Amino acid sequence: MRPMAVIRERIDNGIRMGISRGRRERAADAPRLWCAVRRVNNNVTTLAALVVTAMNVPSAARAQLTVADSVSSHTVATGVTLRRIVRSNGPWVLSVLEVDLRRPEIEVRGVRACDNLLGRERPSAIARRMRQEGVDVVGVLNADFFDLRGGTGATESNVVIDGEIVKAVTVTESPFDAFDNVHTQFGITATGAPVLDRFHLTGMVRTPSGEWPLAAINGRAPGALALLTRWFDTVALAFLPADTTAHVALLKVGGRGDTARYRVDSKPKRERPVATIEETAILVASGAALPVVERLVPGDRLEIITKLVPDRGPLRTVVGGWPRIVEAGRNVALAADSVEGTVPRFSRARHPRSALGVSRDSATLYLVAVDGRQQTSVGMTLEELADAMIALGAYDAMNLDGGGSTALVVRDSIVNQPSDATGERPVGNVIAITRRTGDQSDPERRVLPRKSGSVASCVLPVRRDSAATPARPPQ
């Protein structure tokens, strides 16, 4: 008999792979559940009403769905409330962190595991590390899907941290969807407004020989141009033979807004690039784009324009997920297979789920963890999850990585029950709710990437490139 941890990891991998993209198993449409929660005391709520829309559900099932729920809550910090919802008709157990975005001391941050482009780290370890650095962490929820099979921890979608593009791609780097597309992402603008959109990179490189499209920042761009910044890790290009790429070092000499100006600082080289430093970047070409880089000479001036579109203004934070499940107050989960390439085994089966939602007035953020694969909570389909998010008050909502990755940390505790037998899983990134306290001003905080091996709680990928230093064994 296989160990339970191995079996559950195989289940998650199976979900990610979609089992077979040619198969489209049909599942019974889940009944839509709408509930209203009424506050009774300062810290306790109970269910006031449960309205069930179940047109095709037998009367016995409808009777079961009307069983009263148990809802409890307590204030974690001013403007942040934790709710625990137990629903016998699933059965389901939901942990919900409700955040008042109008509070000036509240910040919503995307945080990369290990403060690095690659690597994995448990959400509780990320929260603990941030607290040790003097950050008042209120809560943390796992976020984007990431490379679990390859062990790199690379997240699939765009990443923006403290206003800096850490990773940007034109198409989401997912091997699991039914067709290539751009997945839904969550962002916080420079003015603090929450946004959900399908952001993608539009970039241009202006060289003495012309203008050329930029396909990725710190991501893979076979047959095209990619820009590598200080967040770059050499593991990201280890899959390419060294003689199929060419690169030049760039020294930043100025820029404004979306445009950066560089001076070519080296001759073109046909080898894998090494890690960059604060003042430099690397322009990499492969395939048909090779001549663009190979024509450059030291001293040439370049302009590189990078934008995430649709344009929602300057973005302070971006994290990925998949897919959108609520749009303008409507449950759109059943459209996810055709819109964002989810597959029925993922979308219409019950699994542990993580999700986030935003209220209609953009004043409230909901971070949700649904336990699953347990007797007390079976998990949810995407349609059931969307119904739950609407019931909580979300006007727009998206699914995040789930399965064994689902983990909600509040202060020092994991408040949900992760489904892996080994407990909390190291993940690629998280959404962190932090709080400025006392007389702290609002400093221009900019997280810097850390050297590989400098974070003790980091699970590092196995390195296959000779340019990198040996990795520490996983923790």
Side-chain angles (χ1 to χ4, degrees):
M1 181 177 294
R2 296 188 183 95
M4 185 59 67
V6 174
I7 293 174
R8 287 179 173 169
E9 184 166 320
R10 286 173 64 88
I11 290 172
D12 277 352
N13 285 336
I15 296 166
R16 292 167 181 265
M17 291 299 292
I19 303 302
S20 171
R21 295 183 178 180
R23 296 175 60 189
R24 291 295 181 268
E25 302 171 358
R26 294 187 59 84
D29 289 345
R32 297 192 174 192
L33 308 179
W34 301 75
C35 67
V37 178
R38 173 169 54 88
R39 195 172 305 233
V40 175
N41 298 318
N42 291 334
N43 298 321
V44 180
T45 59
T46 59
L47 184 69
L50 176 63
V51 181
V52 179
T53 303
M55 298 296 294
N56 299 317
V57 180
S59 58
R62 280 200 299 269
Q64 182 185 16
L65 291 171
T66 59
V67 175
D69 298 345
S70 169
V71 183
S72 62
S73 69
H74 75 271
T75 300
V76 181
T78 302
V80 182
T81 301
L82 174 65
R83 305 189 191 280
R84 178 178 171 83
I85 303 173
V86 179
R87 307 191 49 178
S88 58
N89 55 284
W92 293 307
V93 177
L94 293 80
S95 301
V96 182
L97 199 64
E98 187 175 308
V99 183
D100 185 350
L101 297 178
R102 296 167 298 186
R103 302 291 306 182
E105 73 274 16
I106 296 293
E107 291 184 291
V108 182
R109 301 178 180 178
V111 182
R112 262 295 315 177
C114 318
D115 283 342
N116 206 305
L117 185 65
L118 302 180
R120 297 183 296 138
E121 195 174 6
R122 291 177 175 84
S124 62
I126 294 174
R128 187 180 310 113
R129 173 166 59 80
M130 293 177 70
R131 282 196 301 274
Q132 291 171 349
E133 296 165 0
V135 180
D136 184 10
V137 181
V138 179
V140 163
L141 178 68
N142 70 290
D144 198 3
F145 294 79
F146 61 93
D147 176 22
L148 179 62
R149 173 172 292 188
T152 67
T155 48
E156 295 179 353
S157 292
N158 300 309
V159 179
V160 175
I161 297 176
D162 293 336
E164 180 180 5
I165 296 179
V166 172
K167 177 181 178 179
V169 291
T170 54
V171 176
T172 300
E173 293 183 341
S174 173
F176 311 120
D177 43 15
F179 52 86
D180 289 340
N181 71 101
V182 178
H183 293 178
T184 297
Q185 297 143 63
F186 168 73
I188 295 290
T189 69
T191 60
V195 292
L196 272 72
D197 219 322
R198 299 173 72 181
F199 297 109
H200 65 276
L201 172 68
T202 176
M204 183 69 66
V205 180
R206 293 173 178 160
T207 74
S209 62
E211 294 186 347
W212 315 94
L214 180 71
I217 299 175
N218 297 325
R220 299 180 179 183
L225 295 174
L227 180 68
L228 309 181
T229 72
R230 59 183 180 174
W231 283 89
F232 166 68
D233 193 297
T234 49
V235 171
L237 294 184
F239 73 104
L240 289 174
D243 60 357
T244 65
T245 64
H247 72 273
V248 292
L250 305 176
L251 182 65
K252 189 172 183 179
V253 294
R256 184 177 181 180
D258 299 322
T259 302
R261 297 195 300 274
Y262 295 93
R263 184 181 71 236
V264 176
D265 206 39
S266 73
K267 294 181 179 179
K269 298 179 181 179
R270 279 282 191 115
E271 59 186 33
R272 292 195 196 101
V274 296
T276 64
I277 58 176
E278 175 76 18
E279 299 83 7
T280 65
I282 296 173
L283 185 64
V284 179
S286 64
L290 279 170
V292 176
V293 165
E294 292 183 326
R295 284 196 292 260
L296 295 172
V297 297
D300 279 348
R301 298 295 176 121
L302 277 66
E303 285 188 344
I304 300 182
I305 300 130
T306 56
K307 298 179 181 179
L308 289 180
V309 294
D311 186 2
R312 304 297 292 267
L315 295 166
R316 190 177 70 205
T317 293
V318 172
V319 298
W322 183 50
R324 179 192 284 264
I325 55 175
V326 178
E327 184 172 12
R330 296 180 299 110
N331 186 330
V332 296
L334 287 180
D337 288 5
S338 59
V339 174
E340 294 193 47
T342 55
V343 293
R345 185 174 176 84
F346 170 79
S347 60
R348 303 192 187 188
R350 286 175 164 175
H351 299 291
R353 302 285 185 182
S354 297
L356 68 81
V358 179
S359 62
R360 184 169 188 167
D361 61 2
S362 296
T364 305
L365 175 68
Y366 305 93
L367 300 183
V368 179
V370 181
D371 291 342
R373 301 174 188 162
Q374 303 166 29
Q375 287 187 344
T376 55
S377 187
V378 296
M380 287 184 168
T381 66
L382 289 185
E383 188 183 13
E384 290 169 337
L385 181 65
D387 281 332
M389 297 302 292
I390 292 170
L392 289 168
Y395 190 69
D396 290 285
M398 63 185 287
N399 182 63
L400 302 171
D401 189 16
S405 298
T406 291
L408 177 61
V409 178
V410 176
R411 293 299 191 189
D412 299 320
S413 303
I414 303 172
V415 297
N416 71 305
Q417 294 292 326
S419 63
D420 279 0
T422 53
E424 185 187 7
R425 175 185 293 175
V427 299
N429 67 344
V430 301
I431 298 166
I433 306 301
T434 64
R435 181 172 171 267
R436 291 185 294 271
T437 58
D439 297 328
Q440 288 181 342
S441 60
D442 188 6
E444 290 295 325
R445 181 178 182 273
R446 179 64 62 91
V447 171
L448 299 177
R450 302 191 185 221
K451 293 182 179 179
S452 180
S454 64
V455 176
S457 55
C458 183
V459 179
L460 293 169
V462 176
R463 309 191 75 95
R464 299 180 178 88
D465 59 311
S466 58
T469 56
R472 294 177 47 168
Q475 302 296 308

